[in-house]
Amino acid sequence: MGSIRVRGSGNLQIDFRYMGTRCREQTALPDSAANRKTLEKLIQKIEAEILLGTFVYSNYFPNSKMVARFEKQQQRLLAGNRAERVPTFEEFAVIWMDEMQVSWRDSYRKTMAILVGNRLIPHFGKMEVDRITKADLIQFRATLGKVRRENGEQISAGYINRNLKVVQMILSEAADRYQFTAPKRLKPLKVQKSDVDPFTLDEVERFLMQVPLQFVNYFIVRFVTGVRTGEIDGLKWRFVDFDRGIILIRETWVGGRAEYTKNDGSQREIVMSQPVRDSLKRQFDVTGKGEFVFATLNGTPFNHRNITQRVWYPTLKACGLPERVPKQIRHTAATLWLAVGKNPEWIASPWEHQTTEMLFRVYSRFVANLTRQDNSVFDSPLKAQRTGGAE
């Protein structure tokens, strides 16, 4: 328990113990009942903070010669404790990866292993997790900004943001476990929005007339439903319900295996329009005895890279169409359904937009007439001047 004493000058002095050391600090307060009461409250506060481990000597006595002494003692204690309890970034990243992978899809697990192993550990690996600062994160971001791909292009802002997001997740978890303050999160770099460049009706027709015959059904289903590449590549016949006229999206084909869809919202049912039903009926005659709807001769799903490089881009070139990434098929489907006057809420559901406002904002400018109520928009290109099947 601390005490209050009177020095020869007549002013009061407080006397207490901290870190095993007797501390006596002189005040400018003369001896009086009121001043003693004030110092008693001060001592009580100091001793409460000492008990809680939050006491900082310099907060109360910034000009005291004892400040430097206690700061050195605290640094020695921290250094001694750190060797026992605070791991390096590499050590903790391995622990974090091991604990988290049970909740990850196999494809995501592989992606994270590459990102952490090839980017984060080489940069932060030997640093203790509680010593990594905001300045270190800024330096890491700057380093990534100088990286060039094999073709000489700079890596994207989105890729840099993903790296930063993961390292900050790891540091946040480490901070919770080892009781330190993680560096403040950096504001993500601005990511340039990808262009929405859907096909016109004429372009869809030209593409379907030019694509190799065995892929006609595949691309009709894609252009009309807007399903993702992995979803259609991994589509199994057991998820095609002709009686109810729906396609159940329950899996996606990623990294050579069927996995759960991108997220819970991707689990959905797509109503078959007539062109889709007709295409799937024709496809059933080709692959109906197998597991997958669209498959190679040996029954395995299409490889999306092969389809993209050997079918998609060559067909665009043969049609004289501008080069587009396959994702534009998904955008095209949305514009086609808007053009036939379908209920926007019906359209938004398979596209997983939260509101119809986004649907109109993104796609309406590509639709010349949003008031058409017939389905004639599909008649010419999708009523099968060609019928898909084996050549």
Side-chain angles (χ1 to χ4, degrees):
M1 181 66 181
S3 60
I4 301 171
R5 303 176 183 277
V6 181
R7 296 289 292 175
S9 62
N11 290 338
L12 296 175
Q13 179 189 71
I14 58 174
D15 190 333
F16 62 99
R17 299 190 69 83
Y18 175 56
M19 296 183 72
T21 301
R22 185 179 183 184
C23 304
R24 286 173 288 190
E25 293 294 342
Q26 184 68 32
T27 76
L29 300 176
D31 187 9
S32 70
N35 288 338
R36 283 179 176 269
K37 188 173 182 178
T38 297
L39 293 182
E40 284 174 359
K41 291 181 179 180
L42 178 64
I43 292 175
Q44 289 176 0
K45 185 177 179 182
I46 289 174
E47 291 184 337
E49 291 186 8
I50 292 173
L51 181 63
L52 294 172
T54 60
F55 178 68
V56 178
Y57 207 92
S58 59
N59 288 349
Y60 290 87
F61 312 107
N63 299 320
S64 173
K65 62 182 181 182
M66 301 293 286
V67 170
R69 174 178 176 176
F70 287 127
E71 285 181 348
K72 289 180 180 178
Q73 282 186 250
Q74 289 171 334
Q75 289 172 0
R76 286 196 297 269
L77 287 173
L78 184 60
N81 292 337
R82 182 177 292 113
E84 298 177 2
R85 66 180 181 85
V86 180
T88 63
F89 181 87
E90 180 175 8
E91 292 168 341
F92 187 75
V94 171
I95 295 171
W96 182 79
M97 289 277 292
D98 184 62
E99 294 174 346
M100 292 295 295
Q101 62 180 333
V102 68
S103 63
W104 293 339
R105 297 194 309 178
D106 186 64
S107 57
Y108 187 72
R109 185 161 50 247
K110 292 176 181 177
T111 298
M112 291 295 289
I114 294 172
L115 188 150
V116 173
N118 293 356
R119 292 290 185 197
L120 304 188
I121 288 179
H123 189 93
F124 297 104
K126 303 305 178 185
M127 301 173 67
E128 294 167 335
V129 287
D130 62 338
R131 294 296 184 91
I132 297 174
T133 65
K134 182 179 178 181
D136 294 321
L137 297 180
I138 293 174
Q139 183 186 39
F140 175 61
R141 184 177 64 184
T143 300
L144 289 179
K146 299 174 184 177
V147 173
R148 292 292 183 274
R149 300 189 186 278
E150 293 181 0
N151 61 5
E153 292 182 357
Q154 182 180 4
I155 62 176
S156 68
Y159 180 80
I160 294 174
N161 288 341
R162 285 195 295 274
N163 279 265
L164 282 171
K165 180 179 178 180
V166 174
V167 70
Q168 289 172 152
M169 287 169 60
I170 294 173
L171 292 177
S172 178
E173 180 62 28
D176 286 343
R177 297 192 191 189
Y178 299 104
Q179 301 300 305
F180 65 89
T181 302
K184 187 177 180 180
R185 290 177 178 267
L186 300 185
K187 184 178 180 180
L189 298 175
K190 186 175 182 179
V191 177
Q192 183 176 0
K193 291 184 178 180
S194 58
D195 290 334
V196 175
D197 187 19
F199 286 65
T200 66
L201 215 48
D202 176 66
E203 289 175 333
V204 174
E205 182 176 19
R206 288 160 60 188
F207 184 93
L208 293 176
M209 291 299 295
Q210 187 67 46
V211 73
L213 191 61
Q214 65 266 39
F215 297 105
V216 172
N217 295 329
Y218 174 82
F219 280 106
I220 287 177
V221 174
R222 290 200 65 175
F223 272 116
V224 177
T225 64
V227 293
R228 295 185 177 90
T229 300
E231 293 170 346
I232 193 168
D233 288 350
L235 182 61
K236 299 174 182 177
W237 281 115
R238 65 189 179 95
F239 295 128
V240 176
D241 190 335
F242 286 113
D243 292 335
R244 292 193 293 163
I246 61 173
I247 302 170
L248 292 84
I249 303 300
R250 296 292 183 268
E251 296 177 342
T252 185
W253 189 258
V254 182
R257 60 181 290 175
E259 295 189 356
Y260 191 75
T261 50
K262 181 180 179 181
N263 49 49
D264 291 341
S266 297
Q267 297 273 308
R268 62 198 191 280
E269 292 76 44
I270 297 176
V271 178
M272 295 182 195
S273 62
Q274 194 60 47
V276 171
R277 177 186 284 273
D278 293 342
S279 295
L280 291 175
K281 286 286 189 181
R282 292 192 299 268
Q283 187 65 23
F284 189 81
D285 294 336
V286 181
T287 62
K289 293 181 180 180
E291 182 180 13
F292 295 94
V293 176
F294 300 103
T296 62
L297 293 177
N298 61 9
T300 59
F302 289 152
N303 181 292
H304 73 91
R305 290 186 177 86
N306 287 340
I307 295 294
T308 299
Q309 298 302 322
R310 298 180 183 180
V311 180
W312 174 254
Y313 285 123
T315 301
L316 290 179
K317 185 175 181 181
C319 294
L321 296 176
E323 186 171 287
R324 294 172 169 96
V325 295
K327 188 176 181 180
Q328 298 301 338
I329 299 176
R330 189 166 166 83
H331 296 314
T332 300
T335 61
L336 288 176
W337 284 116
L338 280 174
V340 301
K342 277 291 184 181
N343 185 325
E345 292 184 0
W346 182 90
I347 301 172
S349 178
W351 270 260
E352 301 150 58
H353 294 306
Q354 293 182 352
T355 65
T356 57
E357 179 185 352
M358 178 178 178
L359 189 75
F360 279 110
R361 179 165 52 82
V362 175
Y363 299 119
S364 62
R365 66 185 185 275
F366 299 104
V367 182
N369 184 357
L370 288 178
T371 63
R372 291 177 63 171
Q373 296 300 317
D374 60 16
N375 287 342
S376 61
V377 69
F378 290 123
D379 287 352
S380 175
L382 302 181
K383 281 198 172 177
Q385 289 108 326
R386 308 179 73 203
T387 56
E391 288 187 319

